[in-house]
mmCIF file of all heavy atoms in Angstrom:
data_model
loop_
_atom_site.group_PDB
_atom_site.id
_atom_site.type_symbol
_atom_site.label_atom_id
_atom_site.label_comp_id
_atom_site.label_asym_id
_atom_site.label_seq_id
_atom_site.Cartn_x
_atom_site.Cartn_y
_atom_site.Cartn_z
ATOM 1 N N SER O 1 9.237 4.412 -5.066
ATOM 2 C CA SER O 1 9.195 3.020 -4.555
ATOM 3 C C SER O 1 7.813 2.577 -4.188
ATOM 4 O O SER O 1 7.087 3.239 -3.472
ATOM 5 C CB SER O 1 10.035 2.960 -3.278
ATOM 6 O OG SER O 1 11.482 3.216 -3.508
ATOM 7 N N VAL O 2 7.428 1.384 -4.761
ATOM 8 C CA VAL O 2 6.157 0.730 -4.403
ATOM 9 C C VAL O 2 6.483 -0.320 -3.386
ATOM 10 O O VAL O 2 7.257 -1.295 -3.653
ATOM 11 C CB VAL O 2 5.522 0.143 -5.636
ATOM 12 C CG1 VAL O 2 4.188 -0.475 -5.314
ATOM 13 C CG2 VAL O 2 5.315 1.195 -6.685
ATOM 14 N N ILE O 3 5.877 -0.202 -2.223
ATOM 15 C CA ILE O 3 6.102 -1.096 -1.149
ATOM 16 C C ILE O 3 5.078 -2.266 -1.120
ATOM 17 O O ILE O 3 3.835 -1.940 -1.136
ATOM 18 C CB ILE O 3 6.149 -0.446 0.205
ATOM 19 C CG1 ILE O 3 7.235 0.599 0.202
ATOM 20 C CG2 ILE O 3 6.331 -1.379 1.342
ATOM 21 C CD1 ILE O 3 7.214 1.631 1.363
ATOM 22 N N HIS O 4 5.489 -3.446 -1.080
ATOM 23 C CA HIS O 4 4.577 -4.628 -0.978
ATOM 24 C C HIS O 4 4.738 -5.264 0.486
ATOM 25 O O HIS O 4 5.829 -5.496 0.924
ATOM 26 C CB HIS O 4 4.927 -5.721 -1.991
ATOM 27 C CG HIS O 4 4.316 -5.383 -3.333
ATOM 28 N ND1 HIS O 4 3.871 -6.302 -4.195
ATOM 29 C CD2 HIS O 4 4.165 -4.191 -4.042
ATOM 30 C CE1 HIS O 4 3.402 -5.833 -5.335
ATOM 31 N NE2 HIS O 4 3.623 -4.473 -5.244
ATOM 32 N N ARG O 5 3.646 -5.496 1.067
ATOM 33 C CA ARG O 5 3.633 -6.061 2.417
ATOM 34 C C ARG O 5 4.062 -7.548 2.451
ATOM 35 O O ARG O 5 4.837 -7.989 3.295
ATOM 36 C CB ARG O 5 2.199 -5.949 3.056
ATOM 37 C CG ARG O 5 2.047 -6.568 4.475
ATOM 38 C CD ARG O 5 0.679 -6.324 4.950
ATOM 39 N NE ARG O 5 0.428 -7.124 6.232
ATOM 40 C CZ ARG O 5 0.671 -6.556 7.381
ATOM 41 N NH1 ARG O 5 1.039 -5.348 7.504
ATOM 42 N NH2 ARG O 5 0.348 -7.182 8.516
ATOM 43 N N GLU O 6 3.584 -8.234 1.461
ATOM 44 C CA GLU O 6 3.815 -9.689 1.408
ATOM 45 C C GLU O 6 4.420 -9.999 0.010
ATOM 46 O O GLU O 6 4.195 -9.260 -1.028
ATOM 47 C CB GLU O 6 2.573 -10.548 1.519
ATOM 48 C CG GLU O 6 1.774 -10.218 2.806
ATOM 49 C CD GLU O 6 2.355 -10.831 4.042
ATOM 50 O OE1 GLU O 6 3.409 -11.550 3.970
ATOM 51 O OE2 GLU O 6 1.815 -10.575 5.175
ATOM 52 N N PHE O 7 5.121 -11.143 -0.108
ATOM 53 C CA PHE O 7 5.657 -11.533 -1.415
ATOM 54 C C PHE O 7 4.640 -12.448 -2.054
ATOM 55 O O PHE O 7 4.349 -13.576 -1.764
ATOM 56 C CB PHE O 7 6.929 -12.367 -1.120
ATOM 57 C CG PHE O 7 7.462 -12.942 -2.397
ATOM 58 C CD1 PHE O 7 7.989 -12.170 -3.414
ATOM 59 C CD2 PHE O 7 7.532 -14.332 -2.592
ATOM 60 C CE1 PHE O 7 8.522 -12.698 -4.568
ATOM 61 C CE2 PHE O 7 8.048 -14.904 -3.770
ATOM 62 C CZ PHE O 7 8.504 -14.083 -4.735
ATOM 63 N N GLU O 8 3.983 -11.849 -3.058
ATOM 64 C CA GLU O 8 2.966 -12.499 -3.942
ATOM 65 C C GLU O 8 3.420 -12.368 -5.355
ATOM 66 O O GLU O 8 3.239 -11.248 -5.960
ATOM 67 C CB GLU O 8 1.646 -11.920 -3.670
ATOM 68 C CG GLU O 8 0.959 -12.164 -2.321
ATOM 69 C CD GLU O 8 0.623 -13.535 -2.081
ATOM 70 O OE1 GLU O 8 0.551 -14.347 -2.964
ATOM 71 O OE2 GLU O 8 0.320 -13.940 -0.892
ATOM 72 N N PRO O 9 3.970 -13.387 -6.005
ATOM 73 C CA PRO O 9 4.599 -13.257 -7.308
ATOM 74 C C PRO O 9 3.659 -12.624 -8.371
ATOM 75 O O PRO O 9 4.133 -11.721 -9.126
ATOM 76 C CB PRO O 9 5.019 -14.632 -7.729
ATOM 77 C CG PRO O 9 5.205 -15.307 -6.379
ATOM 78 C CD PRO O 9 4.241 -14.722 -5.400
ATOM 79 N N THR O 10 2.466 -12.990 -8.414
ATOM 80 C CA THR O 10 1.558 -12.434 -9.405
ATOM 81 C C THR O 10 1.274 -11.009 -9.154
ATOM 82 O O THR O 10 1.144 -10.176 -10.136
ATOM 83 C CB THR O 10 0.197 -13.178 -9.505
ATOM 84 O OG1 THR O 10 -0.375 -13.226 -8.178
ATOM 85 C CG2 THR O 10 0.378 -14.613 -10.020
ATOM 86 N N ASN O 11 1.158 -10.537 -7.911
ATOM 87 C CA ASN O 11 1.010 -9.204 -7.599
ATOM 88 C C ASN O 11 2.180 -8.318 -7.964
ATOM 89 O O ASN O 11 2.090 -7.179 -8.467
ATOM 90 C CB ASN O 11 0.779 -8.973 -6.157
ATOM 91 C CG ASN O 11 -0.625 -9.435 -5.661
ATOM 92 O OD1 ASN O 11 -1.471 -9.711 -6.440
ATOM 93 N ND2 ASN O 11 -0.798 -9.626 -4.275
ATOM 94 N N ILE O 12 3.415 -8.935 -7.795
ATOM 95 C CA ILE O 12 4.616 -8.211 -8.213
ATOM 96 C C ILE O 12 4.639 -8.037 -9.783
ATOM 97 O O ILE O 12 4.962 -6.931 -10.242
ATOM 98 C CB ILE O 12 5.863 -9.014 -7.820
ATOM 99 C CG1 ILE O 12 6.021 -8.896 -6.262
ATOM 100 C CG2 ILE O 12 7.143 -8.491 -8.452
ATOM 101 C CD1 ILE O 12 7.041 -9.708 -5.637
ATOM 102 N N LEU O 13 4.333 -9.080 -10.506
ATOM 103 C CA LEU O 13 4.281 -8.985 -11.912
ATOM 104 C C LEU O 13 3.274 -7.895 -12.429
ATOM 105 O O LEU O 13 3.524 -7.179 -13.383
ATOM 106 C CB LEU O 13 4.000 -10.362 -12.579
ATOM 107 C CG LEU O 13 5.161 -11.418 -12.422
ATOM 108 C CD1 LEU O 13 4.697 -12.732 -12.913
ATOM 109 C CD2 LEU O 13 6.402 -10.947 -13.101
ATOM 110 N N SER O 14 2.158 -7.908 -11.780
ATOM 111 C CA SER O 14 1.151 -6.896 -12.159
ATOM 112 C C SER O 14 1.623 -5.488 -11.905
ATOM 113 O O SER O 14 1.302 -4.559 -12.618
ATOM 114 C CB SER O 14 -0.120 -7.156 -11.348
ATOM 115 O OG SER O 14 -0.780 -8.401 -11.714
ATOM 116 N N THR O 15 2.324 -5.279 -10.712
ATOM 117 C CA THR O 15 2.839 -3.983 -10.390
ATOM 118 C C THR O 15 3.906 -3.575 -11.346
ATOM 119 O O THR O 15 3.935 -2.397 -11.785
ATOM 120 C CB THR O 15 3.385 -3.969 -8.933
ATOM 121 O OG1 THR O 15 2.396 -4.259 -8.035
ATOM 122 C CG2 THR O 15 3.970 -2.613 -8.614
ATOM 123 N N ILE O 16 4.781 -4.458 -11.735
ATOM 124 C CA ILE O 16 5.766 -4.162 -12.730
ATOM 125 C C ILE O 16 5.096 -3.634 -14.049
ATOM 126 O O ILE O 16 5.598 -2.653 -14.620
ATOM 127 C CB ILE O 16 6.674 -5.351 -13.098
ATOM 128 C CG1 ILE O 16 7.530 -5.748 -11.954
ATOM 129 C CG2 ILE O 16 7.613 -5.085 -14.258
ATOM 130 C CD1 ILE O 16 8.279 -7.049 -12.009
ATOM 131 N N GLN O 17 4.052 -4.270 -14.419
ATOM 132 C CA GLN O 17 3.357 -3.913 -15.613
ATOM 133 C C GLN O 17 2.689 -2.517 -15.560
ATOM 134 O O GLN O 17 2.770 -1.677 -16.434
ATOM 135 C CB GLN O 17 2.358 -5.020 -16.054
ATOM 136 C CG GLN O 17 1.543 -4.726 -17.299
ATOM 137 C CD GLN O 17 0.689 -5.860 -17.677
ATOM 138 O OE1 GLN O 17 1.207 -6.833 -18.340
ATOM 139 N NE2 GLN O 17 -0.597 -5.844 -17.226
ATOM 140 N N THR O 18 1.861 -2.336 -14.429
ATOM 141 C CA THR O 18 1.129 -1.111 -14.341
ATOM 142 C C THR O 18 1.892 0.097 -14.002
ATOM 143 O O THR O 18 1.551 1.166 -14.394
ATOM 144 C CB THR O 18 -0.089 -1.314 -13.331
ATOM 145 O OG1 THR O 18 0.548 -1.746 -12.085
ATOM 146 C CG2 THR O 18 -0.990 -2.499 -13.755
ATOM 147 N N GLN O 19 2.936 -0.100 -13.137
ATOM 148 C CA GLN O 19 3.750 1.051 -12.613
ATOM 149 C C GLN O 19 5.009 1.252 -13.467
ATOM 150 O O GLN O 19 5.773 2.135 -13.154
ATOM 151 C CB GLN O 19 4.094 0.835 -11.144
ATOM 152 C CG GLN O 19 2.926 0.808 -10.277
ATOM 153 C CD GLN O 19 2.272 2.161 -10.071
ATOM 154 O OE1 GLN O 19 2.851 3.186 -10.376
ATOM 155 N NE2 GLN O 19 1.013 2.187 -9.547
ATOM 156 N N GLN O 20 5.273 0.348 -14.421
ATOM 157 C CA GLN O 20 6.490 0.473 -15.304
ATOM 158 C C GLN O 20 7.700 0.506 -14.455
ATOM 159 O O GLN O 20 8.578 1.395 -14.468
ATOM 160 C CB GLN O 20 6.414 1.683 -16.199
ATOM 161 C CG GLN O 20 5.355 1.603 -17.238
ATOM 162 C CD GLN O 20 5.664 0.562 -18.252
ATOM 163 O OE1 GLN O 20 6.534 0.642 -19.098
ATOM 164 N NE2 GLN O 20 4.926 -0.564 -18.224
ATOM 165 N N ILE O 21 7.822 -0.535 -13.573
ATOM 166 C CA ILE O 21 8.942 -0.679 -12.594
ATOM 167 C C ILE O 21 10.214 -0.963 -13.354
ATOM 168 O O ILE O 21 10.314 -1.702 -14.307
ATOM 169 C CB ILE O 21 8.585 -1.857 -11.561
ATOM 170 C CG1 ILE O 21 7.380 -1.440 -10.700
ATOM 171 C CG2 ILE O 21 9.806 -2.076 -10.683
ATOM 172 C CD1 ILE O 21 7.501 -0.209 -9.883
ATOM 173 N N ASN O 22 11.352 -0.333 -12.804
ATOM 174 C CA ASN O 22 12.617 -0.470 -13.405
ATOM 175 C C ASN O 22 13.564 -1.491 -12.765
ATOM 176 O O ASN O 22 14.537 -1.969 -13.367
ATOM 177 C CB ASN O 22 13.302 0.863 -13.470
ATOM 178 C CG ASN O 22 12.536 1.955 -14.119
ATOM 179 O OD1 ASN O 22 12.391 3.048 -13.590
ATOM 180 N ND2 ASN O 22 11.920 1.665 -15.268
ATOM 181 N N GLY O 23 13.320 -1.721 -11.484
ATOM 182 C CA GLY O 23 14.187 -2.667 -10.773
ATOM 183 C C GLY O 23 13.617 -3.179 -9.423
ATOM 184 O O GLY O 23 12.601 -2.636 -8.921
ATOM 185 N N MET O 24 14.299 -4.209 -8.903
ATOM 186 C CA MET O 24 13.796 -4.839 -7.682
ATOM 187 C C MET O 24 14.904 -5.718 -7.066
ATOM 188 O O MET O 24 15.640 -6.434 -7.780
ATOM 189 C CB MET O 24 12.553 -5.669 -8.064
ATOM 190 C CG MET O 24 11.914 -6.466 -6.916
ATOM 191 S SD MET O 24 10.320 -7.164 -7.502
ATOM 192 C CE MET O 24 10.841 -8.063 -8.948
ATOM 193 N N PHE O 25 14.912 -5.764 -5.698
ATOM 194 C CA PHE O 25 15.840 -6.607 -5.060
ATOM 195 C C PHE O 25 15.040 -7.796 -4.469
ATOM 196 O O PHE O 25 14.037 -7.592 -3.808
ATOM 197 C CB PHE O 25 16.546 -5.882 -3.868
ATOM 198 C CG PHE O 25 17.178 -6.919 -2.870
ATOM 199 C CD1 PHE O 25 18.440 -7.457 -3.163
ATOM 200 C CD2 PHE O 25 16.551 -7.191 -1.635
ATOM 201 C CE1 PHE O 25 19.018 -8.285 -2.303
ATOM 202 C CE2 PHE O 25 17.183 -8.141 -0.903
ATOM 203 C CZ PHE O 25 18.416 -8.665 -1.093
ATOM 204 N N LEU O 26 15.535 -9.066 -4.756
ATOM 205 C CA LEU O 26 14.917 -10.296 -4.142
ATOM 206 C C LEU O 26 16.023 -11.234 -3.877
ATOM 207 O O LEU O 26 17.129 -11.167 -4.480
ATOM 208 C CB LEU O 26 13.911 -10.900 -5.223
ATOM 209 C CG LEU O 26 12.697 -10.116 -5.616
ATOM 210 C CD1 LEU O 26 11.952 -10.928 -6.719
ATOM 211 C CD2 LEU O 26 11.797 -9.844 -4.434
ATOM 212 N N VAL O 27 15.788 -12.143 -2.988
ATOM 213 C CA VAL O 27 16.685 -13.296 -2.735
ATOM 214 C C VAL O 27 16.408 -14.323 -3.879
ATOM 215 O O VAL O 27 15.330 -14.296 -4.445
ATOM 216 C CB VAL O 27 16.540 -13.835 -1.374
ATOM 217 C CG1 VAL O 27 16.871 -12.785 -0.257
ATOM 218 C CG2 VAL O 27 15.146 -14.445 -1.128
ATOM 219 N N PRO O 28 17.386 -15.187 -4.124
ATOM 220 C CA PRO O 28 17.221 -16.188 -5.232
ATOM 221 C C PRO O 28 15.912 -17.024 -5.193
ATOM 222 O O PRO O 28 15.280 -17.210 -6.241
ATOM 223 C CB PRO O 28 18.477 -17.083 -5.067
ATOM 224 C CG PRO O 28 19.459 -16.269 -4.470
ATOM 225 C CD PRO O 28 18.746 -15.300 -3.506
ATOM 226 N N SER O 29 15.517 -17.475 -4.021
ATOM 227 C CA SER O 29 14.264 -18.247 -3.916
ATOM 228 C C SER O 29 13.069 -17.438 -4.342
ATOM 229 O O SER O 29 12.121 -18.014 -4.934
ATOM 230 C CB SER O 29 14.085 -18.788 -2.452
ATOM 231 O OG SER O 29 13.976 -17.732 -1.587
#
């Protein structure tokens, strides 16, 4: 699990790419 302190969309996309993330929980917004 990679933990992010804040919700930053571009950081999340970068992490998915570099860490080859398989899944994630988010609210609709």
